[in-house]
Amino acid sequence: MGTMFGGGNTITLFRIRGIRIAVDWSWFLILFLVIFWLSDFYGDLLGQPGSSTEPYLLAVASAAGFFGSIVLHELGHAFVAMRNGIGITTIRLWIFGGVAQMDRESDSPGVEFRVAAGGPLVTAAIAAILIAIGLISVGGSAFQDAIQLQVSADANGLIAMVAWLAAVNLIVLAFNLLPAFPMDGGRIARAIAWKITGKRSAATRFAAGLGRVFGFIFIAVGIFIAFNGYVFSGVWLALIGFLVNGSARAATMQTSVTSRLEGVRVGDVMDNSPVAIPGSITIEKALEEYFLRYQWSWFPVVDDQERFLGMIVRDRIDQVPEIERLSTVVSDHLEEQSRAFHISQEALLESLLGNSDMRRFGALMVTDGGGRLAGVITVEQLGRALKPQ
Ligand SMILES: [Zn+2]
């Protein structure tokens, strides 16, 4: 997982509970290489040419299993994030692995730790299940040979596949747990430093420093491997080194901005006298007394206890037929899912950076502990708080 890794054109494969699973064109290169390389491997193992049916089918099944393992790893992050109120829109796979794109950053070290650990935990579970299957099927020493990719005379194709997938998941686990921010281990290191110091920016600088060191190590090791005959693996690792190094550097630079927000809460900078429309008035009245009067494109809507109900948008009520405007009330025409467009006044201002709801309206509603509308925070207010004083 690394939300800072680059963009690119993607193809949507399927959706799971609203999360889009997409692949970048570069992912197909990896799939192709895995199938190509494994066909030969299984061919040698079974004493058949790599181009014959059985080695090829095993190679395709292994590539599918590898793909599934990476998706499950990312879903591990996504599941924990969503349980902690962080939205996940897309899981993207590309040549350097998977990325679960979160709509905002964690607002506590505990959440950061759990989200970062969610993926490796799933990978560890997959490896444990595969190893258990292997041990039960062929026993300890035969499976150990298989997992070390040693060709043995009594080799079984399916067990070799289980062993290969177990080995790959163990490698993915070990690699991700290196404290190379923004990789998982680096995020775990940041969460721990954040918990100890109580300061997110200081923790990010520490983890990003480690990330830069690991980036240089990956580059050096990658070049070494490439010159020793493993050109693709070496170049791949060196490129990961460049990415990790660049992302870590960007994260360090970003902290010089976000450190100004340290400890500032949403309630400290919001506009605390927002204009809200009561949900019980008619559309006609809302148009006359609010939309025409203020000329805004949206308003928050509250119930008679001042509790936030959602948003009402001009474009949408313009489409309500005249005849219905007198008979229907504002709360019948709330913008879809807009009930979620609020944040607690106690939330840290920095948790708003990258908030996708805020991007959509240019503002976010602020509520108090009782769910009552306490204010509105706009992108401009956030921008002012970010500027050097
Ligand atoms: Zn991960």
Side-chain angles (χ1 to χ4, degrees), residues 1 73-74 77 98 116 119-120 176 184:
M1 177 189 73
H73 173 104
E74 295 305 326
H77 292 302
N176 269 293
D184 296 342

